[in-house]
Amino acid sequence: MYWPITALGALAGMLLASIPGALLGGLLGQVLDRRLDLRSWADLRRRMQGATGPREQQLLFGLLGRLAKSAGAVTAAHIQQARNEMRRLQLDEAAEQLAIAAFTRGKSAEQSLRRPLRQRRANRALAEELLRACWRMAWAGGQVAPAQYQLILDCGEHLGLQRDAVLALGAAYARSNVPLMASAAAEQEALRVLGLSAEAAPAQIKQAYRRLLSRHHPDKVAGAGASPAQVRAATDKTCELHRAFELLRNRRDFP
């Protein structure tokens, strides 16, 4: 039964307009309870505090399972990252078992993510927490696969975040996975990907990255009526651009 905001709405409506107001307030409250997936006062309190409750934890580990599998195969690094998330959340034994089950279900890719993510659009803090965990899982293997990259962008869209905001959340994890002493050959390859010379200044690197990212973004290609193969190629190119930019930013130390 959905009832926290329903009860508050009915009470406020009663105080303002007697029985008709209570009915209207309760109806509007029920709409909000359903949209936000609130089933108790504890759920409402967690939502207001930006905390991760049991249902959010189930969603989180389902997402992590989906991301791990989308890379092609679930590796030991992915499983270890899931355990790291359990420790970060300080889950007890019972909660860990539920998280493991959610992770396993997520690997099957049978459940749609659209509805549960859209239900959490109103909580920006929770949305960002979920996406940061997704980026940590995606980078667990040392490199984000194109399918993982697109899945995170899709999740961000369902959560109501702009693409740039989603990428910004993953930037720190990308930088931490680029070798600090990348070879000169790797730097030259990154410059080639961005179409730049060795003398390119940070501003020129940023400009080239944004220009190419806009040109090759999968959404733009798909909107032009491209085939699935062309969309996949655009996703691969986007990942390549992202890795090249992060390598140069890390090696040349600019924000």
Side-chain angles (χ1 to χ4, degrees), residues 1-9 26-40 44 47 119:
M1 177 179 180
Y2 299 83
W3 66 277
I5 300 182
T6 301
L8 291 174
L27 179 62
L28 294 175
Q30 188 177 55
V31 171
L32 285 174
D33 279 332
R34 290 181 180 276
R35 182 176 294 276
L36 299 176
D37 193 25
L38 301 177
R39 302 167 187 251
S40 68
L44 179 59
R47 177 76 66 170
Q119 288 175 335

Side-chain angles (χ1 to χ4, degrees), residues 178-199:
V178 175
L180 291 177
M181 297 303 293
S183 67
E187 182 177 3
Q188 287 300 316
E189 174 61 17
L191 289 167
R192 184 197 66 76
V193 168
L194 296 177
L196 297 168
S197 66
E199 294 76 27

Side-chain angles (χ1 to χ4, degrees), residues 139-238:
W139 278 109
Q143 180 174 316
V144 179
Q148 292 177 312
Y149 183 88
Q150 189 58 52
L151 180 56
I152 294 176
L153 289 180
D154 291 342
C155 289
E157 180 181 356
H158 296 328
L159 287 164
L161 273 68
Q162 295 294 322
R163 176 179 166 280
D164 288 346
V166 176
L167 292 176
L169 291 171
Y173 306 109
R175 295 193 72 177
S176 66
N177 281 278
V178 175
L180 291 177
M181 297 303 293
S183 67
E187 182 177 3
Q188 287 300 316
E189 174 61 17
L191 289 167
R192 184 197 66 76
V193 168
L194 296 177
L196 297 168
S197 66
E199 294 76 27
Q204 292 173 303
I205 295 173
K206 292 179 183 179
Q207 183 180 30
Y209 169 65
R210 291 167 183 161
R211 173 172 48 80
L212 291 170
L213 207 59
S214 175
R215 179 187 303 171
H216 296 285
H217 188 261
D219 290 347
K220 185 172 183 179
V221 174
S227 68
Q230 289 173 315
V231 173
R232 285 195 298 272
T235 302
D236 291 346
K237 183 63 175 180
T238 297

Side-chain angles (χ1 to χ4, degrees), residues 102-151:
F103 185 84
T104 302
R105 288 194 304 271
K107 291 189 295 183
S108 69
E110 293 178 356
Q111 184 178 3
S112 173
L113 299 172
R114 182 185 180 93
R115 183 177 179 183
L117 290 175
R118 283 181 172 270
Q119 288 175 335
R120 289 156 175 83
R121 278 191 165 201
N123 192 332
R124 177 64 179 256
L126 174 61
E128 292 184 352
E129 181 181 350
L130 289 171
L131 290 170
R132 287 192 186 96
C134 286
W135 281 117
R136 288 192 291 268
M137 176 58 74
W139 278 109
Q143 180 174 316
V144 179
Q148 292 177 312
Y149 183 88
Q150 189 58 52
L151 180 56

